[in-house]
Amino acid sequence: MSKIVLITGASSGFGKIIAEKLSDDGFIVYGTSRNPNKYPSPKKYKLLKFDITSFKDSSKLVETILSENKKIDILINNAGVGFSGPIEEISIEDIKRVFDTNFFGQIDLIQKVLPVMRKNNYGLIINITSIAGFHGVPFVSTYCASKASMEFLGEALNMEIKRFGIRVVNIAPGDYNTEIKVNRQDTLLSKKSPYYEVYKSLINQWSLNMNNSRNPVEIANLISKIVKKKNPRIHYVLGPFLQKISITLKKILPEKIYERLLMNHYKL
Ligand SMILES: NC(=O)c1ccc[n+]([C@@H]2O[C@H](COP(=O)([O-])OP(=O)(O)OC[C@H]3O[C@@H](n4cnc5c(N)ncnc54)[C@H](OP(=O)(O)O)[C@@H]3O)[C@@H](O)[C@H]2O)c1
């Protein structure tokens, strides 16, 4: 019987391409979107209405899939929101929204899916984290913090649920050319803000970088391989060489030198 996949945020970007790839591979794929009607019926997979920050909807989502298939084999925690702003000027409401989407909502769904996977003695949970979760990037602090939180959560969870035949994989991408470049939420600053000039030039630079970034199909191809592995790794990092190597550099360089490198990179 085909494996059943649930992937959050399958209306655009990574989620859409992963959902298409896994459907082509023969999996039965359920994707989610807050506004599925905006994306006229994807032919290869079902797109169900779901807002990950509305915790009451996760049970219904899981029940809908179970009523059609009796199991969920693979959960891909992909839905996420990009957010930037100087820590001094971002609102607690915005930070909570970032964490509800990128962290608490993901845990809520994991909690709803785990009993189903335990019953089947099989499951794979893939978290789409970020290279940004391996170090603090100036003006992207809360996004980094939410992704770092998922990295550690995934590591811990893997050890808790291995005994039930369930595995966790964290995939940390660098910059990829998805709709995140338009969906990302940047904090609006007053021209009087002490951060205005430096922040404005950074977000302009990020937008330029994102337009020239890598093809997200790389992530879909990687996931297509991982879901067929008996013994996948816990961490996969994919992206531009400089972003990948930054993880190693942080481990081996003296911290002040690493900080200087980052600050030079961001022209701070
Ligand atoms: N692109 C990159 O360079 C990059 C790098 C590292 C990590 N990532 C991560 O990759 C994941 C996918 O991002 P992407 O680049 O593909 O961006 P994207 O094209 O903007 O896709 C984001 C997806 O998340 C969904 N989503 C957003 N808020 C949601 C909510 N409250 N409830 C349910 N779904 C929600 C969106 O669906 P609807 O709007 O239809 O609801 C959309 O399908 C994110 O977790 C992101 O942090 C991206």
Side-chain angles (χ1 to χ4, degrees):
M1 190 187 170
S2 297
K3 288 211 169 89
I4 312 299
V5 180
L6 166 58
I7 170 160
T8 59
S11 58
S12 68
F14 288 145
K16 184 167 184 277
I17 298 174
I18 298 164
E20 284 169 355
K21 174 74 183 150
L22 294 185
S23 304
D24 287 343
D25 287 352
F27 294 85
I28 295 173
V29 179
Y30 290 82
T32 74
S33 165
R34 285 165 297 179
N35 302 297
N37 297 336
K38 260 172 60 184
Y39 308 91
S41 58
K43 293 185 177 44
K44 294 182 176 170
Y45 58 96
K46 284 193 182 175
L47 199 56
L48 304 175
K49 188 172 168 59
F50 179 60
D51 182 339
I52 202 163
T53 63
S54 155
F55 300 98
K56 62 181 182 357
D57 292 343
S58 53
S59 299
K60 206 175 118 205
L61 174 71
V62 169
E63 277 160 24
T64 302
I65 300 172
L66 289 182
S67 69
E68 293 177 13
N69 299 283
K70 297 196 166 48
K71 61 173 189 160
I72 297 172
D73 298 293
I74 300 169
L75 166 65
I76 306 181
N77 271 316
N78 167 73
V81 65
F83 177 70
S84 75
I87 294 170
E88 189 177 339
E89 301 203 18
I90 52 184
S91 70
I92 293 295
E93 286 68 34
D94 279 341
I95 301 170
K96 283 184 176 164
R97 195 169 33 79
V98 171
F99 267 81
D100 275 354
T101 313
N102 295 358
F103 186 62
F104 293 112
Q106 325 261 339
I107 300 175
D108 176 50
L109 202 50
I110 287 172
Q111 288 178 338
K112 300 295 171 359
V113 166
L114 273 180
V116 182
M117 291 181 166
R118 273 194 299 101
K119 209 171 144 199
N120 275 334
N121 299 311
Y122 176 81
L124 176 64
I125 296 173
I126 298 180
N127 300 317
I128 307 295
T129 60
S130 173
I131 291 181
F134 286 83
H135 52 198
V137 178
F139 303 107
V140 200
S141 56
T142 51
Y143 179 77
C144 293
S146 68
K147 293 295 181 178
S149 301
M150 273 314 285
E151 275 293 333
F152 286 121
L153 184 108
E155 284 177 9
L157 182 65
N158 194 44
M159 290 186 270
E160 291 180 19
I161 61 181
K162 235 178 189 174
R163 73 183 66 190
F164 304 118
I166 309 169
R167 301 296 289 268
V168 181
V169 169
N170 288 339
I171 298 181
D175 288 350
Y176 280 87
N177 199 350
T178 67
E179 285 78 352
I180 202 169
K181 63 188 176 203
V182 284
N183 293 335
R184 190 186 73 214
Q185 286 148 24
D186 298 319
T187 304
L188 282 176
L189 298 191
S190 137
K191 284 193 174 161
K192 289 184 191 148
S193 163
Y195 302 100
Y196 182 81
E197 288 303 332
V198 69
Y199 177 61
K200 193 176 137 206
S201 103
L202 268 176
I203 51 179
N204 289 341
Q205 191 56 51
W206 289 330
S207 299
L208 276 177
N209 293 349
M210 288 304 284
N211 283 332
N212 300 317
S213 59
R214 294 170 82 104
N215 188 337
V217 81
E218 287 179 15
I219 301 292
N221 289 340
L222 173 68
I223 290 185
S224 165
K225 286 187 189 140
I226 290 172
V227 294
K228 290 161 201 149
K229 279 183 191 286
K230 274 213 169 102
N231 199 14
R233 294 190 340 235
I234 305 168
H235 297 285
Y236 292 83
V237 178
L238 217 63
F241 174 75
L242 263 184
Q243 293 182 356
K244 283 195 296 184
I245 198 75
S246 69
I247 297 174
T248 312
L249 288 179
K250 186 181 177 188
K251 284 183 191 150
I252 59 174
L253 286 178
E255 62 182 17
K256 287 193 176 167
I257 293 183
Y258 185 72
E259 185 186 68
R260 182 39 56 203
L261 280 178
L262 271 190
M263 290 184 72
N264 286 345
H265 179 74
Y266 291 111
K267 300 188 177 63
L268 295 174

